[in-house]
């Protein structure tokens, strides 16, 4: 056989490849690129189909034009504004577009940046709150070192806020959620606020249940509070999921810069901004809310450009992907896609309800998140963890987990519906789901006893 024919055979999927991949240290010799490609791809074979993963809020499909554009721009470094000034322009255009979606006011000077995701954005938002609080509190004579500053948020927070508080030495004050609302408890929230409070976080789509905090109500409470004290507090909205959903579709309640005390908002471009992970955004309604200490200059076309990201180098390809989506879809494109996603979520909720054994906690009406718990039934021998395992056999990932603090005895299951979930796929899912329930009902050998698997919410 001719030699290049033999080489070609090596790329045949199967047993013809003898080479192994490194696990603990580098191999001495290089591999051919096609062999390395094949082997690494094969390593990822059993990870499941991302689109069947209903645990994640993160985007699992982009158009081929978008992925081509992104792969052609991987080498661009987002921080290198002087080498890639046009890329920097696209980022600024995205910030402008998002500011418009969030109703930034013409008489204020919004400022914002891309980030790796909402976690980085929340760190920035949190730091800005801390620095502002310290300056204001000290100027009114408070001993800012006498106690730890604190941050007030509903117990349904995403783990990034706990990280923020650990990293920056802040007390996390969790407002327990009430069973009937499963979002920020407005009757209690102001009890947690004092002169050491750096700010209150409202969540536009909490990760446990997808419920929206009543930010308008919170704004009213904050407005009244601020009239009584020089130690004013402001609101940061964690709109990781809702920030790119509700502007297009969903309840027409102000939650954004239309509300006076909302000073900063973050979102994940890679959730309902419809970009692959990782891109996020944070905007402040006016640059006066972003303390100068957090702004650094990088050189840009012979001058300086302010930046406030925590990370330095990273590929700009996701920013470009975001800009592609904005350009390609326009307002109505996003609206139609999100509206469809919401309808499918509501369809799934309706079908699950009809099974008669679940109590729906979110029927997808505001955000396309469906979650449910089992109705009590002494004769049932299985729980939602068993159901999550069972449905996994058909490839679906639908996590079960306990609710946070004070409701932790309640186990729920959640499905996040995304833009790549068609009606046909929804029917398929419901069929598989129904079958899984039936199989569990009829099973004679049951999985082990109910255990709290200690899952940390389900946070992505
Ligand atoms: C997903 C999520 C985050 C974290 O976002 P990343 O973009 O994954 O870093 C923060 N807050 C909320 C409410 C979220 O849903």
């Amino acid at each position: 056989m001719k030699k290049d024919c033999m080489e070609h055979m090596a790329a045949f999927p199967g047993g013809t490849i003898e080479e192994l991949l490194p696990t603990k240290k580098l191999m001495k010799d290089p591999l051919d690129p096609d062999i390395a490609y094949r082997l690494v791809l094969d390593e990822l074979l059993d990870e499941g189909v991302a689109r069947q993963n209903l645990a994640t809020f993160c985007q699992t499909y982009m158009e081929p034009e978008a992925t081509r554009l992104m792969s052609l721009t991987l080498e661009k470094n987002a921080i290198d504004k002087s080498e890639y000034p046009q890329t920097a322009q696209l980022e600024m255009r995205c910030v402008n577009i998002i500011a418009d979606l969030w109703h930034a006011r013409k008489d204020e000077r919004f400022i914002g940046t891309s980030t790796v995701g909402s976690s980085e954005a929340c760190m920035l938002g949190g730091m800005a709150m801390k620095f502002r609080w310290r300056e204001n509190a000290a100027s009114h004579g408070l001993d800012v070192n006498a106690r730890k500053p604190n941050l007030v948020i509903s117990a349904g927070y995403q783990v990034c806020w706990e990280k923020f508080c650990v990293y920056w030495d802040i007390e996390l004050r969790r407002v327990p959620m009430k069973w009937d609302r499963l979002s920020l408890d407005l009757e209690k929230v102001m009890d947690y606020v004092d002169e050491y409070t750096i700010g209150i976080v409202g969540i536009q789509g909490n990760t446990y249940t997808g419920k929206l905090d009543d930010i308008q109500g919170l704004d009213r409470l904050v407005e009244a509070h601020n009239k009584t004290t020089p130690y004013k507090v402001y609101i940061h909205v964690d709109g990781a999921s809702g920030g790119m959903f509700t502007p297009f579709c969903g309840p027409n309640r102000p939650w954004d810069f239309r509300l006076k005390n909302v000073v900063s908002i973050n979102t994940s471009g890679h959730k309902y901004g419809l970009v692959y992970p990782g891109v996020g955004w944070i905007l402040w309604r006016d640059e006066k809310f972003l303390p100068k200490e957090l702004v650094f200059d990088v050189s840009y076309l012979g001058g300086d450009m302010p930046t406030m990201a925590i990370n330095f180098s990273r590929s700009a390809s996701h920013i470009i992907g975001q800009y592609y989506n904005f350009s390609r879809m326009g307002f109505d494109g996003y609206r139609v896609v999100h509206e469809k996603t919401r309808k499918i979520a509501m369809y799934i909720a309706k079908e699950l309800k009809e099974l008669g054994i679940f109590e729906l906690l979110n029927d997808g009406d505001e955000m396309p998140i469906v979650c449910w718990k089992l109705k009590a039934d002494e004769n049932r021998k299985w729980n939602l963890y068993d159901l999550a395992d069972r449905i996994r056999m058909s490839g679906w990932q639908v996590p079960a987990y306990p609710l946070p603090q004070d409701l932790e005895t309640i186990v729920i299951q959640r499905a996040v519906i995304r833009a790549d979930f068609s009606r046909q796929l929804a029917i398929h899912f419901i069929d598989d789901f129904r079958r899984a329930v039936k199989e569990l009902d009829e099973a004679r050998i049951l999985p082990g006893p109910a255990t709290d698997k200690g899952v940390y919410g389900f946070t992505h």
Side-chain angles (χ1 to χ4, degrees):
M1 219 182 280
K2 283 215 303 267
K3 184 172 173 292
D4 43 344
C5 251
M6 283 301 285
E7 273 169 10
H8 194 65
M9 285 307 293
F12 194 84
T16 51
I17 300 177
E18 289 286 336
E19 287 83 348
L20 296 177
L21 288 172
T23 55
K24 297 220 165 59
K25 58 180 211 158
L26 286 175
M27 305 287 198
K28 185 177 168 303
D29 296 319
L31 290 177
D32 283 345
D34 58 339
I35 290 179
Y37 172 85
R38 170 64 54 197
L39 286 178
V40 175
L41 199 61
D42 282 0
E43 280 294 279
L44 305 172
L45 205 64
D46 66 354
E47 279 191 329
V49 178
R51 287 174 57 198
Q52 281 189 292
N53 176 0
L54 304 188
T56 186
F57 282 86
C58 287
Q59 189 55 24
T60 43
Y61 173 80
M62 289 184 81
E63 291 177 320
E65 290 79 1
T67 49
R68 200 176 321 131
L69 188 58
M70 288 167 74
S71 61
L72 288 172
T73 52
L74 279 169
E75 84 288 8
K76 293 183 192 293
N77 189 348
I79 197 70
D80 213 339
K81 315 274 182 197
S82 68
E83 197 167 342
Y84 305 111
Q86 212 50 40
T87 302
Q89 282 300 313
L90 300 195
E91 178 179 6
M92 287 324 299
R93 287 184 202 168
C94 288
V95 168
N96 293 340
I97 289 166
I98 295 167
D100 178 63
L101 289 173
W102 293 347
H103 301 95
R105 291 169 55 118
K106 299 271 179 309
D107 57 350
E108 294 181 303
R109 289 156 303 163
F110 65 82
I111 184 167
T113 182
S114 73
T115 58
V116 173
S118 280
S119 300
E120 185 192 359
C122 293
M123 295 294 152
L124 288 166
M127 278 194 290
M129 285 194 267
K130 182 178 183 189
F131 280 58
R132 277 198 319 265
W133 162 79
R134 195 168 50 199
E135 197 189 331
N136 179 58
S139 77
H140 287 99
L142 189 76
D143 179 357
V144 292
N145 296 316
R147 279 164 51 198
K148 244 190 189 190
N150 64 73
L151 176 82
V152 175
I153 190 167
S154 103
Y157 62 82
Q158 206 264 1
V159 63
C160 72
W161 290 107
E162 197 162 323
K163 289 189 187 173
F164 166 73
C165 287
V166 170
Y167 297 165
W168 310 102
D169 211 15
I170 287 167
E171 178 195 342
L172 180 68
R173 291 197 174 162
R174 311 164 168 88
V175 186
M177 296 197 292
K178 284 231 259 331
W179 166 243
D180 52 357
R181 277 203 59 102
L182 294 173
S183 60
L184 184 66
D185 184 350
L186 291 191
E187 279 162 31
K188 295 277 166 58
V189 56
M190 297 315 283
D191 298 350
Y192 290 78
V193 173
D194 60 22
E195 60 273 35
Y196 285 83
T197 300
I198 64 169
I200 306 176
V201 176
I203 309 175
Q204 181 78 344
N206 87 45
T207 18
Y208 285 87
T209 59
K211 292 271 187 184
L212 306 173
D213 284 353
D214 176 0
I215 315 238
Q216 197 172 17
L218 178 62
D219 181 67
R220 274 196 292 271
L221 296 176
V222 165
E223 182 66 17
H225 172 87
N226 285 351
K227 289 214 168 84
T228 66
T229 171
Y231 301 110
K232 302 195 189 312
V233 289
Y234 294 102
I235 302 168
H236 171 88
V237 176
D238 180 353
S241 55
M244 286 280 205
F245 191 87
T246 55
F248 300 103
C249 143
N252 192 19
R253 292 191 294 269
W255 60 275
D256 51 14
F257 295 135
R258 281 169 288 183
L259 302 174
K260 182 176 154 199
N261 298 294
V262 170
V263 302
S264 49
I265 307 175
N266 69 273
T267 194
S268 299
H270 52 231
K271 291 185 180 174
Y272 290 101
L274 308 181
V275 184
Y276 284 133
V279 62
W281 303 93
I282 177 161
L283 272 68
W284 289 265
R285 68 181 303 136
D286 190 285
E287 55 190 29
K288 76 174 186 229
F289 290 106
L290 176 63
K292 300 253 169 320
E293 298 95 309
L294 297 181
V295 182
F296 296 83
D297 286 321
V298 294
S299 79
Y300 173 69
L301 292 181
D304 286 330
M305 186 176 208
T307 69
M308 42 264 165
I310 296 177
N311 291 290
F312 196 70
S313 299
R314 81 190 148 95
S315 173
S317 60
H318 288 72
I319 298 169
I320 293 167
Q322 181 81 75
Y323 188 67
Y324 167 85
N325 276 356
F326 283 156
S327 308
R328 146 91 171 114
M329 298 180 66
F331 188 91
D332 280 353
Y334 268 98
R335 187 176 54 73
V336 166
V337 166
H338 286 350
E339 193 62 52
K340 188 212 79 176
T341 309
R342 195 172 70 96
K343 285 221 178 86
I344 289 177
M346 290 173 73
Y347 164 78
I348 285 175
K350 179 175 115 326
E351 292 291 314
L352 292 179
K353 196 164 184 186
E354 277 172 15
L355 288 178
I357 57 172
F358 301 116
E359 181 178 340
L360 271 290
L361 311 182
N362 191 346
D363 68 357
D365 175 29
E366 295 193 326
M367 291 280 295
I369 317 292
V370 186
C371 58
W372 59 91
K373 71 189 261 296
L374 277 169
K375 288 183 185 164
D377 177 354
E378 281 175 7
N379 296 323
R380 189 186 304 118
K381 301 268 179 0
W382 52 270
N383 60 28
L384 288 178
Y385 295 117
D386 303 323
L387 181 53
D389 283 345
R390 191 79 211 175
I391 188 82
R392 183 76 203 248
M393 290 181 186
S394 327
W396 302 104
Q397 298 184 46
V398 192
Y401 52 88
L403 283 174
Q405 204 191 18
D406 297 320
L407 297 171
E408 65 268 31
T409 54
I410 301 173
V411 172
I412 68 170
Q413 195 169 23
R414 184 194 73 191
V416 177
I417 308 307
R418 297 185 304 273
D420 52 3
F421 204 72
S422 66
R423 187 154 188 99
Q424 187 61 51
L425 213 46
I427 292 170
H428 186 150
F429 169 69
I430 290 294
D431 282 350
D432 286 345
F433 202 88
R434 231 185 251 123
R435 180 155 13 92
V437 167
K438 185 159 174 286
E439 283 165 356
L440 284 172
D441 277 342
E442 290 168 358
R444 267 178 290 155
I445 304 167
L446 285 164
T451 49
D452 173 356
K453 296 193 178 169
V455 188
Y456 203 115
F458 222 86
T459 45
H460 41 265

